[in-house]
């Protein structure tokens, strides 16, 4: 299951929780029983938890580094919605390129023709080495 699908399910659940919370609020204020108030508190906490998840899961770039090092390399910090294509000359591809690894949460395409995507890649990725 992709990150987009998980976030979509969480967003739909948050909407349902919000509607049920409204109903529980109405019932708790009308009957003022402890059961309704406890249920309302659980629903509010559940809704808040879903919102925290949605916020944290959607922050793609929060200070992370994105590095494309080497001829023809591509680095995408978030998701790529289309195809990615890179072409590298054989002479450039044979050269050695030293690249430090990305810090935690970073994306690094290290080397000639390298492709790195930090999120979902929804299209074809093509690297061509030419003579």
């Amino acid at each position: 299951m992709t990150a987009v699908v998980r976030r979509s399910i969480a967003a739909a659940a948050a909407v349902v929780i919000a509607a049920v919370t409204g109903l529980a609020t109405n019932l708790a204020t009308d009957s003022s029983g402890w059961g309704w108030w406890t249920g309302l508190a659980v629903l509010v906490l559940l809704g808040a938890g879903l919102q925290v998840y949605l916020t944290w899961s959607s922050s793609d770039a929060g200070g992370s580094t994105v590095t494309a090092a080497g001829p023809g390399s591509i680095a995408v910090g978030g998701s790529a919605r289309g195809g990615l294509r890179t072409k590298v000359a054989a002479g450039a591809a044979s050269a050695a390129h030293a690249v430090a690894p990305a810090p935690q949460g970073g994306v690094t395409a290290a080397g000639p023709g390298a492709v790195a995507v930090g999120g979902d890649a929804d299209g074809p990725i093509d690297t061509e080495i030419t003579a």
Side-chain angles (χ1 to χ4, degrees), residues 80-112:
R81 299 291 175 225
L84 299 173
R85 180 174 167 79
T86 182
K87 212 179 219 186
V88 183
S94 64
H97 295 276
V99 178
Q104 186 174 358
V107 176
T108 299

PDB file of all heavy atoms in Angstrom, residues 80-112:
ATOM      1  N   ALA A  80       7.382  11.507  -7.721  1.00  0.00           N
ATOM      2  CA  ALA A  80       7.482  11.812  -9.146  1.00  0.00           C
ATOM      3  C   ALA A  80       6.213  11.308  -9.819  1.00  0.00           C
ATOM      4  O   ALA A  80       5.922  10.123  -9.788  1.00  0.00           O
ATOM      5  CB  ALA A  80       8.714  11.146  -9.740  1.00  0.00           C
ATOM      6  N   ARG A  81       5.452  12.207 -10.405  1.00  0.00           N
ATOM      7  CA  ARG A  81       4.166  11.843 -11.004  1.00  0.00           C
ATOM      8  C   ARG A  81       4.276  11.448 -12.470  1.00  0.00           C
ATOM      9  O   ARG A  81       3.360  10.899 -13.033  1.00  0.00           O
ATOM     10  CB  ARG A  81       3.171  13.009 -10.866  1.00  0.00           C
ATOM     11  CG  ARG A  81       2.890  13.359  -9.439  1.00  0.00           C
ATOM     12  CD  ARG A  81       2.101  12.253  -8.778  1.00  0.00           C
ATOM     13  NE  ARG A  81       1.935  12.548  -7.376  1.00  0.00           N
ATOM     14  CZ  ARG A  81       2.102  11.678  -6.432  1.00  0.00           C
ATOM     15  NH1 ARG A  81       2.435  10.454  -6.701  1.00  0.00           N
ATOM     16  NH2 ARG A  81       1.945  12.008  -5.181  1.00  0.00           N
ATOM     17  N   GLY A  82       5.384  11.754 -13.113  1.00  0.00           N
ATOM     18  CA  GLY A  82       5.576  11.390 -14.515  1.00  0.00           C
ATOM     19  C   GLY A  82       6.818  10.544 -14.655  1.00  0.00           C
ATOM     20  O   GLY A  82       7.445  10.151 -13.678  1.00  0.00           O
ATOM     21  N   GLY A  83       7.182  10.281 -15.889  1.00  0.00           N
ATOM     22  CA  GLY A  83       8.366   9.489 -16.140  1.00  0.00           C
ATOM     23  C   GLY A  83       9.634  10.300 -15.913  1.00  0.00           C
ATOM     24  O   GLY A  83       9.634  11.522 -16.029  1.00  0.00           O
ATOM     25  N   LEU A  84      10.717   9.612 -15.587  1.00  0.00           N
ATOM     26  CA  LEU A  84      12.026  10.233 -15.430  1.00  0.00           C
ATOM     27  C   LEU A  84      12.960   9.587 -16.435  1.00  0.00           C
ATOM     28  O   LEU A  84      13.029   8.365 -16.534  1.00  0.00           O
ATOM     29  CB  LEU A  84      12.560  10.021 -14.011  1.00  0.00           C
ATOM     30  CG  LEU A  84      11.729  10.600 -12.869  1.00  0.00           C
ATOM     31  CD1 LEU A  84      12.294  10.150 -11.531  1.00  0.00           C
ATOM     32  CD2 LEU A  84      11.698  12.103 -12.956  1.00  0.00           C
ATOM     33  N   ARG A  85      13.681  10.426 -17.184  1.00  0.00           N
ATOM     34  CA  ARG A  85      14.588   9.907 -18.202  1.00  0.00           C
ATOM     35  C   ARG A  85      15.892  10.679 -18.129  1.00  0.00           C
ATOM     36  O   ARG A  85      15.897  11.903 -18.060  1.00  0.00           O
ATOM     37  CB  ARG A  85      13.969  10.069 -19.581  1.00  0.00           C
ATOM     38  CG  ARG A  85      14.825   9.559 -20.706  1.00  0.00           C
ATOM     39  CD  ARG A  85      14.063   9.628 -22.022  1.00  0.00           C
ATOM     40  NE  ARG A  85      14.912   9.445 -23.152  1.00  0.00           N
ATOM     41  CZ  ARG A  85      15.362   8.282 -23.595  1.00  0.00           C
ATOM     42  NH1 ARG A  85      15.027   7.186 -22.959  1.00  0.00           N
ATOM     43  NH2 ARG A  85      16.133   8.213 -24.644  1.00  0.00           N
ATOM     44  N   THR A  86      16.996   9.964 -18.137  1.00  0.00           N
ATOM     45  CA  THR A  86      18.307  10.599 -18.134  1.00  0.00           C
ATOM     46  C   THR A  86      19.205   9.896 -19.133  1.00  0.00           C
ATOM     47  O   THR A  86      19.086   8.687 -19.361  1.00  0.00           O
ATOM     48  CB  THR A  86      18.939  10.596 -16.725  1.00  0.00           C
ATOM     49  OG1 THR A  86      20.183  11.264 -16.778  1.00  0.00           O
ATOM     50  CG2 THR A  86      19.106   9.211 -16.175  1.00  0.00           C
ATOM     51  N   LYS A  87      20.081  10.671 -19.754  1.00  0.00           N
ATOM     52  CA  LYS A  87      21.009  10.156 -20.758  1.00  0.00           C
ATOM     53  C   LYS A  87      22.413  10.568 -20.350  1.00  0.00           C
ATOM     54  O   LYS A  87      22.654  11.721 -20.034  1.00  0.00           O
ATOM     55  CB  LYS A  87      20.664  10.790 -22.104  1.00  0.00           C
ATOM     56  CG  LYS A  87      20.908   9.967 -23.300  1.00  0.00           C
ATOM     57  CD  LYS A  87      20.496  10.748 -24.533  1.00  0.00           C
ATOM     58  CE  LYS A  87      19.831   9.827 -25.510  1.00  0.00           C
ATOM     59  NZ  LYS A  87      19.541  10.494 -26.770  1.00  0.00           N
ATOM     60  N   VAL A  88      23.348   9.614 -20.352  1.00  0.00           N
ATOM     61  CA  VAL A  88      24.710   9.877 -19.917  1.00  0.00           C
ATOM     62  C   VAL A  88      25.673   9.359 -20.978  1.00  0.00           C
ATOM     63  O   VAL A  88      25.515   8.233 -21.456  1.00  0.00           O
ATOM     64  CB  VAL A  88      25.006   9.183 -18.572  1.00  0.00           C
ATOM     65  CG1 VAL A  88      26.401   9.514 -18.087  1.00  0.00           C
ATOM     66  CG2 VAL A  88      23.985   9.567 -17.534  1.00  0.00           C
ATOM     67  N   ALA A  89      26.696  10.169 -21.309  1.00  0.00           N
ATOM     68  CA  ALA A  89      27.730   9.722 -22.237  1.00  0.00           C
ATOM     69  C   ALA A  89      28.611   8.695 -21.551  1.00  0.00           C
ATOM     70  O   ALA A  89      28.891   8.796 -20.356  1.00  0.00           O
ATOM     71  CB  ALA A  89      28.559  10.916 -22.699  1.00  0.00           C
ATOM     72  N   ALA A  90      29.067   7.703 -22.299  1.00  0.00           N
ATOM     73  CA  ALA A  90      29.852   6.605 -21.726  1.00  0.00           C
ATOM     74  C   ALA A  90      31.098   7.116 -21.011  1.00  0.00           C
ATOM     75  O   ALA A  90      31.462   6.606 -19.957  1.00  0.00           O
ATOM     76  CB  ALA A  90      30.239   5.613 -22.817  1.00  0.00           C
ATOM     77  N   GLY A  91      31.776   8.115 -21.532  1.00  0.00           N
ATOM     78  CA  GLY A  91      32.962   8.661 -20.888  1.00  0.00           C
ATOM     79  C   GLY A  91      32.643   9.258 -19.530  1.00  0.00           C
ATOM     80  O   GLY A  91      33.379   9.074 -18.560  1.00  0.00           O
ATOM     81  N   ALA A  92      31.538   9.976 -19.426  1.00  0.00           N
ATOM     82  CA  ALA A  92      31.136  10.572 -18.145  1.00  0.00           C
ATOM     83  C   ALA A  92      30.688   9.498 -17.170  1.00  0.00           C
ATOM     84  O   ALA A  92      30.908   9.602 -15.970  1.00  0.00           O
ATOM     85  CB  ALA A  92      30.024  11.587 -18.363  1.00  0.00           C
ATOM     86  N   ALA A  93      30.075   8.440 -17.692  1.00  0.00           N
ATOM     87  CA  ALA A  93      29.565   7.382 -16.820  1.00  0.00           C
ATOM     88  C   ALA A  93      30.693   6.567 -16.198  1.00  0.00           C
ATOM     89  O   ALA A  93      30.538   6.012 -15.121  1.00  0.00           O
ATOM     90  CB  ALA A  93      28.630   6.456 -17.600  1.00  0.00           C
ATOM     91  N   SER A  94      31.841   6.511 -16.885  1.00  0.00           N
ATOM     92  CA  SER A  94      32.931   5.703 -16.342  1.00  0.00           C
ATOM     93  C   SER A  94      33.734   6.439 -15.274  1.00  0.00           C
ATOM     94  O   SER A  94      34.504   5.826 -14.549  1.00  0.00           O
ATOM     95  CB  SER A  94      33.863   5.254 -17.465  1.00  0.00           C
ATOM     96  OG  SER A  94      34.480   6.401 -18.046  1.00  0.00           O
ATOM     97  N   ALA A  95      33.574   7.743 -15.174  1.00  0.00           N
ATOM     98  CA  ALA A  95      34.303   8.517 -14.163  1.00  0.00           C
ATOM     99  C   ALA A  95      33.768   8.194 -12.776  1.00  0.00           C
ATOM    100  O   ALA A  95      32.570   8.041 -12.576  1.00  0.00           O
ATOM    101  CB  ALA A  95      34.179  10.009 -14.445  1.00  0.00           C
ATOM    102  N   ALA A  96      34.652   8.084 -11.808  1.00  0.00           N
ATOM    103  CA  ALA A  96      34.244   7.788 -10.431  1.00  0.00           C
ATOM    104  C   ALA A  96      33.828   9.082  -9.740  1.00  0.00           C
ATOM    105  O   ALA A  96      34.491  10.099  -9.872  1.00  0.00           O
ATOM    106  CB  ALA A  96      35.388   7.138  -9.675  1.00  0.00           C
ATOM    107  N   HIS A  97      32.731   9.040  -9.018  1.00  0.00           N
ATOM    108  CA  HIS A  97      32.227  10.196  -8.280  1.00  0.00           C
ATOM    109  C   HIS A  97      31.984   9.780  -6.842  1.00  0.00           C
ATOM    110  O   HIS A  97      31.160   8.908  -6.583  1.00  0.00           O
ATOM    111  CB  HIS A  97      30.914  10.704  -8.891  1.00  0.00           C
ATOM    112  CG  HIS A  97      31.077  11.249 -10.271  1.00  0.00           C
ATOM    113  ND1 HIS A  97      31.482  12.531 -10.503  1.00  0.00           N
ATOM    114  CD2 HIS A  97      30.909  10.681 -11.476  1.00  0.00           C
ATOM    115  CE1 HIS A  97      31.550  12.734 -11.802  1.00  0.00           C
ATOM    116  NE2 HIS A  97      31.205  11.624 -12.420  1.00  0.00           N
ATOM    117  N   ALA A  98      32.701  10.394  -5.934  1.00  0.00           N
ATOM    118  CA  ALA A  98      32.513  10.095  -4.512  1.00  0.00           C
ATOM    119  C   ALA A  98      31.442  11.022  -3.961  1.00  0.00           C
ATOM    120  O   ALA A  98      31.527  12.234  -4.103  1.00  0.00           O
ATOM    121  CB  ALA A  98      33.812  10.296  -3.757  1.00  0.00           C
ATOM    122  N   VAL A  99      30.436  10.452  -3.357  1.00  0.00           N
ATOM    123  CA  VAL A  99      29.334  11.223  -2.801  1.00  0.00           C
ATOM    124  C   VAL A  99      29.062  10.717  -1.393  1.00  0.00           C
ATOM    125  O   VAL A  99      28.937   9.515  -1.175  1.00  0.00           O
ATOM    126  CB  VAL A  99      28.055  11.077  -3.659  1.00  0.00           C
ATOM    127  CG1 VAL A  99      26.910  11.836  -3.040  1.00  0.00           C
ATOM    128  CG2 VAL A  99      28.301  11.524  -5.078  1.00  0.00           C
ATOM    129  N   ALA A 100      28.962  11.636  -0.463  1.00  0.00           N
ATOM    130  CA  ALA A 100      28.625  11.255   0.909  1.00  0.00           C
ATOM    131  C   ALA A 100      27.173  10.803   0.950  1.00  0.00           C
ATOM    132  O   ALA A 100      26.328  11.352   0.244  1.00  0.00           O
ATOM    133  CB  ALA A 100      28.840  12.436   1.851  1.00  0.00           C
ATOM    134  N   PRO A 101      26.845   9.807   1.753  1.00  0.00           N
ATOM    135  CA  PRO A 101      25.459   9.374   1.849  1.00  0.00           C
ATOM    136  C   PRO A 101      24.574  10.475   2.425  1.00  0.00           C
ATOM    137  O   PRO A 101      25.032  11.315   3.190  1.00  0.00           O
ATOM    138  CB  PRO A 101      25.507   8.167   2.790  1.00  0.00           C
ATOM    139  CG  PRO A 101      26.809   8.272   3.497  1.00  0.00           C
ATOM    140  CD  PRO A 101      27.727   9.063   2.625  1.00  0.00           C
ATOM    141  N   ALA A 102      23.318  10.449   2.034  1.00  0.00           N
ATOM    142  CA  ALA A 102      22.367  11.456   2.513  1.00  0.00           C
ATOM    143  C   ALA A 102      22.110  11.260   3.990  1.00  0.00           C
ATOM    144  O   ALA A 102      22.084  10.137   4.482  1.00  0.00           O
ATOM    145  CB  ALA A 102      21.053  11.338   1.753  1.00  0.00           C
ATOM    146  N   PRO A 103      21.925  12.371   4.722  1.00  0.00           N
ATOM    147  CA  PRO A 103      21.541  12.233   6.122  1.00  0.00           C
ATOM    148  C   PRO A 103      20.175  11.559   6.215  1.00  0.00           C
ATOM    149  O   PRO A 103      19.468  11.455   5.226  1.00  0.00           O
ATOM    150  CB  PRO A 103      21.473  13.671   6.626  1.00  0.00           C
ATOM    151  CG  PRO A 103      21.803  14.556   5.490  1.00  0.00           C
ATOM    152  CD  PRO A 103      22.037  13.728   4.282  1.00  0.00           C
ATOM    153  N   GLN A 104      19.834  11.124   7.407  1.00  0.00           N
ATOM    154  CA  GLN A 104      18.541  10.470   7.586  1.00  0.00           C
ATOM    155  C   GLN A 104      17.431  11.376   7.075  1.00  0.00           C
ATOM    156  O   GLN A 104      17.348  12.541   7.430  1.00  0.00           O
ATOM    157  CB  GLN A 104      18.314  10.154   9.056  1.00  0.00           C
ATOM    158  CG  GLN A 104      17.053   9.355   9.277  1.00  0.00           C
ATOM    159  CD  GLN A 104      16.916   8.928  10.724  1.00  0.00           C
ATOM    160  OE1 GLN A 104      17.764   9.181  11.552  1.00  0.00           O
ATOM    161  NE2 GLN A 104      15.831   8.270  11.032  1.00  0.00           N
ATOM    162  N   GLY A 105      16.586  10.850   6.222  1.00  0.00           N
ATOM    163  CA  GLY A 105      15.498  11.620   5.645  1.00  0.00           C
ATOM    164  C   GLY A 105      15.880  12.288   4.348  1.00  0.00           C
ATOM    165  O   GLY A 105      15.054  12.877   3.692  1.00  0.00           O
ATOM    166  N   GLY A 106      17.143  12.178   3.924  1.00  0.00           N
ATOM    167  CA  GLY A 106      17.589  12.789   2.680  1.00  0.00           C
ATOM    168  C   GLY A 106      17.492  11.825   1.512  1.00  0.00           C
ATOM    169  O   GLY A 106      17.313  10.629   1.677  1.00  0.00           O
ATOM    170  N   VAL A 107      17.632  12.382   0.309  1.00  0.00           N
ATOM    171  CA  VAL A 107      17.583  11.595  -0.912  1.00  0.00           C
ATOM    172  C   VAL A 107      18.838  11.900  -1.706  1.00  0.00           C
ATOM    173  O   VAL A 107      19.130  13.062  -1.969  1.00  0.00           O
ATOM    174  CB  VAL A 107      16.329  11.958  -1.750  1.00  0.00           C
ATOM    175  CG1 VAL A 107      16.330  11.212  -3.070  1.00  0.00           C
ATOM    176  CG2 VAL A 107      15.060  11.675  -0.971  1.00  0.00           C
ATOM    177  N   THR A 108      19.589  10.866  -2.088  1.00  0.00           N
ATOM    178  CA  THR A 108      20.809  11.062  -2.860  1.00  0.00           C
ATOM    179  C   THR A 108      20.831  10.130  -4.057  1.00  0.00           C
ATOM    180  O   THR A 108      20.659   8.919  -3.907  1.00  0.00           O
ATOM    181  CB  THR A 108      22.064  10.798  -2.002  1.00  0.00           C
ATOM    182  OG1 THR A 108      22.073  11.714  -0.916  1.00  0.00           O
ATOM    183  CG2 THR A 108      23.328  10.984  -2.809  1.00  0.00           C
ATOM    184  N   ALA A 109      21.041  10.714  -5.233  1.00  0.00           N
ATOM    185  CA  ALA A 109      21.307   9.949  -6.445  1.00  0.00           C
ATOM    186  C   ALA A 109      22.793  10.089  -6.680  1.00  0.00           C
ATOM    187  O   ALA A 109      23.260  11.113  -7.162  1.00  0.00           O
ATOM    188  CB  ALA A 109      20.492  10.490  -7.612  1.00  0.00           C
ATOM    189  N   ALA A 110      23.568   9.098  -6.285  1.00  0.00           N
ATOM    190  CA  ALA A 110      25.026   9.179  -6.304  1.00  0.00           C
ATOM    191  C   ALA A 110      25.584   8.450  -7.510  1.00  0.00           C
ATOM    192  O   ALA A 110      25.462   7.238  -7.612  1.00  0.00           O
ATOM    193  CB  ALA A 110      25.594   8.585  -5.022  1.00  0.00           C
ATOM    194  N   GLY A 111      26.190   9.195  -8.396  1.00  0.00           N
ATOM    195  CA  GLY A 111      26.853   8.591  -9.538  1.00  0.00           C
ATOM    196  C   GLY A 111      26.184   8.926 -10.846  1.00  0.00           C
ATOM    197  O   GLY A 111      25.058   9.421 -10.885  1.00  0.00           O
ATOM    198  N   PRO A 112      26.885   8.662 -11.915  1.00  0.00           N
ATOM    199  CA  PRO A 112      26.366   8.975 -13.248  1.00  0.00           C
ATOM    200  C   PRO A 112      25.103   8.187 -13.572  1.00  0.00           C
ATOM    201  O   PRO A 112      25.056   6.969 -13.391  1.00  0.00           O
ATOM    202  CB  PRO A 112      27.501   8.562 -14.171  1.00  0.00           C
ATOM    203  CG  PRO A 112      28.705   8.473 -13.308  1.00  0.00           C
ATOM    204  CD  PRO A 112      28.220   8.110 -11.948  1.00  0.00           C
TER     205      PRO A 112
END
